[in-house]
Amino acid sequence: MSAHYQLTGTTAVDISASIESGIRTGALSPGAALPPVRALAAELGVSPATVARAYQELRQRGLLATAGRHGTRVRPRPPVAARRSALRPPPLPGARDLSRGEPDPRLLPPLGPHLAALATENGPSVGYSDAGVLPELAEVARARLRADGVPVGELTLTGGALDGIERLLGAHLRPGDAVAVEDPGWANLLDLVAALGLRPIGVPVDDEGPLVAGVAAALAAGARALIVTSRAQNPTGAAVSAARAEALRTLLAGRRDLLLIEDDHAAELARVPLHPLAGATASWAFLRSVSKPFGPDLRMAVLVGDETTVARVSGRTRVGAGWVSTVLQRLVLALWRDPAVTELVQRAAQSYEQRREGLLAALAEHGLTAHGRSGINVWLPVADETSTVTALRDAGWAVAPGALYRIAAPPALRITVSSLDTADLVALAAALARAENPPPSQGFPT
């Protein structure tokens, strides 16, 4: 905990408010350790039970996490608005930032021409009573999903993949329920599960997706939902193979007590075949967002699923956000229909594949085994994240520590390849090798 921030309060409500204020102002930064329960109780002159209740309330809201022998800490991305000073510190001046997990801006389709066309062709504004999913967009979306073997029944839209997952979990689960999530898995999803007061059960992942034994163990432990990344899994680049999909579908067949959520966030950028699990359970949903191929600012995802699940999401949307902007829908539809955009997305997918596979090969030449079957990230197991990240920082490279994505998985680094050029791969692999296996110290000069 920051030595400059003093926790206060004589009740659990006051203590939790003091901690939340520290997080909001940046005095308690992400990852900051809080005092042990008994130590803080003695300092504030209250009972340990009072402090324990304050910590528990903040854990249930996703602000704090218990890290075993490391004690209680502020979550890496607590769900409370913080000042800019509390956000992730930027890389050192001149460093190459490979930690962001974002697509290459140079390979995103230009929106200007399509926005200009919309300005002249969009027609009159849509009224509240007429808003919803545009029929022409739904038609094209269904065709694109059918081409990948996704069963298409009911369809709706959400404000991106994470928004869709939040709505699905909120429609089916209650605080305290268990959710099976990939481990390592998407950091934003792990934070969302914590913020919803749900209990994550980590499912180990290999290059072909979630391990069948891990899913079976999560089901036996009472998981009410299972979230699977179809392709370009963040952070490992895993993609569900045909054999793994068949085994998982057999395991999940007919389950009426489990919500199955599939996230195909990379879509056309994945460059590996899709092997969906959709329909294996009674309650299921398949999400495909447009942000990765077409631009992070396009906050829209297509959601298909069983009738009850989609109806719950659609109904909740009507009494909340209402609908996804029809202007945004028309823009996405124009992008889908433009052959030049399709060609650009295909070139981007090929470029990411070349960079990713090039880095894997360069690392292999140094004896380092990394993972990245699809997508824009490479996952490199390391002995110690902190020392390796520090050594890379000193060498001018910024990467993401695996702790942001892990529950029980071993240490690793996530390296985003989207900003790399081919000429960078050899130098980066060499820097990673030196950081992971530094030369022995020569000791003091004689």
Side-chain angles (χ1 to χ4, degrees), residues 104-118:
D104 186 346
R106 298 170 297 180
L107 296 177
L108 294 174
L111 302 183
H114 294 285
L115 288 169
L118 283 177

Side-chain angles (χ1 to χ4, degrees), residues 101-145:
E102 297 180 358
D104 186 346
R106 298 170 297 180
L107 296 177
L108 294 174
L111 302 183
H114 294 285
L115 288 169
L118 283 177
T120 59
E121 302 170 5
N122 196 45
S125 298
V126 174
Y128 291 101
S129 59
D130 299 323
V133 180
L134 296 176
E136 54 269 41
L137 180 131
E139 180 182 358
V140 175
R142 286 191 170 97
R144 294 166 75 91
L145 291 172

Side-chain angles (χ1 to χ4, degrees), residues 27 39 94 145 202 204 230 316 328 351 430:
L145 291 172
S230 305
R316 183 64 183 86
L328 176 57
S351 176

Side-chain angles (χ1 to χ4, degrees), residues 51-291:
V51 176
R53 283 197 301 274
Y55 282 10
Q56 180 183 27
E57 191 265 339
L58 293 171
R59 281 196 301 270
Q60 290 174 341
R61 291 176 47 213
L63 274 71
L64 303 182
T66 300
R69 61 187 177 87
H70 298 293
T72 299
R73 294 180 178 272
V74 178
R75 286 189 63 85
R77 292 185 59 184
V80 59
R83 292 179 182 171
R84 296 293 299 178
S85 60
L87 299 179
R88 180 176 62 89
L92 294 177
R96 294 293 300 277
D97 189 358
L98 311 179
S99 67
R100 299 175 66 85
E102 297 180 358
D104 186 346
R106 298 170 297 180
L107 296 177
L108 294 174
L111 302 183
H114 294 285
L115 288 169
L118 283 177
T120 59
E121 302 170 5
N122 196 45
S125 298
V126 174
Y128 291 101
S129 59
D130 299 323
V133 180
L134 296 176
E136 54 269 41
L137 180 131
E139 180 182 358
V140 175
R142 286 191 170 97
R144 294 166 75 91
L145 291 172
R146 287 194 193 99
D148 280 330
V150 179
V152 181
E154 300 300 315
L155 181 149
T156 190
L157 302 176
T158 63
L162 199 64
D163 177 59
I165 293 173
E166 178 175 5
R167 293 178 186 279
L168 288 162
L169 293 175
H172 281 265
L173 276 64
R174 296 294 177 267
D177 286 343
V179 181
V181 294
E182 295 158 336
D183 181 20
W186 188 17
N188 288 7
L189 175 61
L190 299 180
D191 289 336
L192 173 64
V193 167
L196 294 176
L198 302 172
R199 179 167 55 91
I201 300 177
V203 175
V205 175
D206 67 9
D207 290 331
E208 298 184 54
L211 299 184
V212 177
V215 175
L219 297 180
R224 296 277 319 281
L226 167 65
I227 305 174
V228 175
T229 309
S230 305
R231 304 177 286 188
Q233 197 259 8
N234 187 357
T236 70
V240 177
S241 66
R244 185 63 53 81
E246 182 179 359
L248 288 172
R249 289 181 68 88
T250 299
L251 173 66
L252 301 174
R255 295 286 302 235
R256 305 197 66 83
D257 59 342
L258 181 77
L259 170 65
L260 170 64
I261 303 174
E262 286 182 273
D263 177 15
D264 187 34
H265 69 101
E268 298 90 344
L269 290 181
R271 293 275 290 185
V272 293
L274 178 69
H275 301 289
L277 307 177
T281 58
S283 299
W284 63 275
F286 184 97
L287 281 155
R288 177 176 286 176
S289 70
V290 302
S291 298

Side-chain angles (χ1 to χ4, degrees), residues 88 97-101 235 377-380 385 389 392 397-405 412-416:
R88 180 176 62 89
D97 189 358
L98 311 179
S99 67
R100 299 175 66 85
N377 296 307
V378 165
W379 184 249
L380 175 64
E385 290 177 10
V389 168
L392 284 168
W397 302 94
V399 300
L404 295 173
Y405 313 94
L413 307 178
R414 192 196 72 174
I415 307 154
T416 301

